[in-house]
Amino acid sequence: MVIQKEKKSCGQVVEEWKEFVWNPRTHQFMGRTGTSWAFILLFYLVFYGFLTAMFTLTMWVMLQTVSDHTPKYQDRLATPGLMIRPKTENLDVVVNVSDTESWDQHVQKLNKFLEPYNDSIQAQKNDVCRPGRYYEQPDNGVLNYPKRACQFNRTQLGNCSGIGDPTHYGYSTGQPCVFIKMNRVINFYAGANQSMNVTCAGKRDEDAENLGHFVMFPANGNIDLMYFPYYGKKFHVNYTQPLVAVKFLNVTSNVEVNVECRINAANIATDDERDKFAGRVAFKLRINKT
């Protein structure tokens, strides 16, 4: 025989809920007395306080092993890569000589990029260094901060400096300048105390034919040792990377040309197939003329 439970009215349910929240007879709130709630709150206060203190101590100990200026681990940056300017999507430099808008964006990017290289700014912020030797600034037990940087003047870029240039870095005449820069690696002595330079060529035979002639600034694409080592963004406040400008003189029109530029340095490998940017950069160049 099934015994049916008496169905409670809505009022009874509400009264039971009120009594659970606050029982005036036993002075219990949510089923616990004030003393019980106090012990629970005290336990969690101590527990989470301990966790917070342990986390803070762990972070403090870890931060003592980390320098504010030099990354602790740099194993993934053993070989610097190369990049180009103007910076474009997919590293494609496309110029339509008769369409100003197609190359004006490149010109604006280059103007902004080269502004810190103005001779007046370099003379104000950086040093005239002795070429052919590293510009080392050791701490010798005392923090030598900030580090000084060597001047790289915009005028060193010759016909690609853009100074008083009515051709807008050659983009308006179909003889564009492309700038090569080496990525920064802290405390890296590029060149291993030997001279180094950047060279460019077509990736394939047909690219070499279509690429035509070009000139480089500084001469022969040289990068001087005095711009190394780099001590980091916080140490080397006014550091400006050395550049190599490549001015393409007679690229075959209306043809996509694959160009590859490499840094020739004793301690920079450029043949790692797993890293296409290690010591080199490949980009596409197309000059459209109607």
Side-chain angles (χ1 to χ4, degrees):
M1 182 176 179
V2 179
I3 302 177
Q4 295 183 349
K5 292 184 178 180
E6 182 180 354
K7 188 175 182 180
K8 297 180 180 179
S9 65
C10 181
Q12 289 176 318
V13 172
V14 172
E15 288 299 323
E16 289 181 357
W17 173 249
K18 288 181 178 179
E19 188 173 333
F20 169 73
V21 175
W22 172 249
N23 191 326
R25 292 179 288 103
T26 59
H27 296 89
Q28 291 182 335
F29 176 72
M30 303 288 285
R32 292 183 179 275
T33 62
T35 303
S36 177
W37 278 114
F39 278 121
I40 290 176
L41 293 175
L42 179 62
F43 168 79
Y44 281 106
L45 180 63
V46 173
F47 176 69
Y48 285 111
F50 172 76
L51 291 181
T52 302
M54 186 170 64
F55 174 77
T56 303
L57 178 63
T58 302
M59 292 297 296
W60 180 82
V61 171
M62 184 191 69
L63 290 175
Q64 302 313 300
T65 67
V66 178
S67 170
D68 289 337
H69 303 92
T70 306
K72 188 175 180 66
Y73 300 106
Q74 301 185 69
D75 55 307
R76 297 186 64 183
L77 296 174
T79 303
L82 298 184
M83 277 301 294
I84 67 167
R85 292 294 184 270
K87 188 176 182 180
T88 62
E89 188 175 355
N90 300 323
L91 299 182
D92 294 342
V93 180
V94 180
V95 179
N96 189 337
V97 177
S98 60
D99 181 10
T100 304
E101 291 185 1
S102 73
W103 50 261
D104 185 64
Q105 57 179 331
H106 300 322
V107 172
Q108 297 304 320
K109 290 178 181 178
L110 291 177
N111 285 338
K112 184 176 181 180
F113 173 67
L114 293 175
E115 186 176 352
Y117 292 89
N118 287 340
D119 291 21
S120 58
I121 296 178
Q122 290 292 308
Q124 178 184 359
K125 295 184 177 181
N126 294 337
D127 296 343
V128 177
C129 301
R130 178 179 173 183
R133 59 184 294 183
Y134 294 120
Y135 191 32
E136 297 180 280
Q137 302 170 74
D139 292 333
N140 293 326
V142 180
L143 188 62
N144 181 11
Y145 168 81
K147 307 287 188 184
R148 298 291 296 173
C150 295
Q151 292 184 21
F152 188 97
N153 293 314
R154 189 168 176 174
T155 49
Q156 294 176 239
L157 299 173
N159 293 339
C160 286
S161 67
I163 300 175
D165 182 8
T167 68
H168 306 285
Y169 306 99
Y171 283 84
S172 64
T173 59
Q175 296 179 322
C177 292
V178 175
F179 297 83
I180 313 295
K181 71 182 189 72
M182 186 164 62
N183 294 338
R184 305 176 185 184
V185 177
I186 296 177
N187 291 327
F188 180 67
Y189 287 77
N193 221 18
Q194 301 177 40
S195 61
M196 55 185 165
N197 71 316
V198 172
T199 55
C200 297
K203 293 197 70 173
R204 297 183 292 268
D205 291 340
E206 57 267 30
D207 292 320
E209 294 178 3
N210 293 324
L211 186 60
H213 297 91
F214 56 86
V215 290
M216 308 185 82
F217 307 96
N220 301 317
N222 289 329
I223 296 180
D224 202 278
L225 299 178
M226 65 182 177
Y227 300 107
F228 305 93
Y230 170 62
Y231 289 101
K233 187 175 182 179
K234 287 190 174 182
F235 267 136
H236 245 150
V237 179
N238 296 318
Y239 181 80
T240 44
Q241 295 159 273
L243 303 174
V244 171
V246 187
K247 186 175 183 63
F248 299 96
L249 301 177
N250 55 346
V251 178
T252 302
S253 303
N254 307 315
V255 175
E256 186 174 87
V257 182
N258 295 285
V259 185
E260 184 176 72
C261 295
R262 296 173 178 254
I263 177 92
N264 301 303
N267 59 346
I268 301 178
T270 61
D271 55 359
D272 187 354
E273 293 302 322
R274 296 172 299 176
D275 189 350
K276 300 295 184 180
F277 290 92
R280 56 185 168 167
V281 61
F283 59 96
K284 295 178 181 179
L285 180 63
R286 184 182 178 98
I287 311 298
N288 293 325
K289 293 182 179 180
T290 56

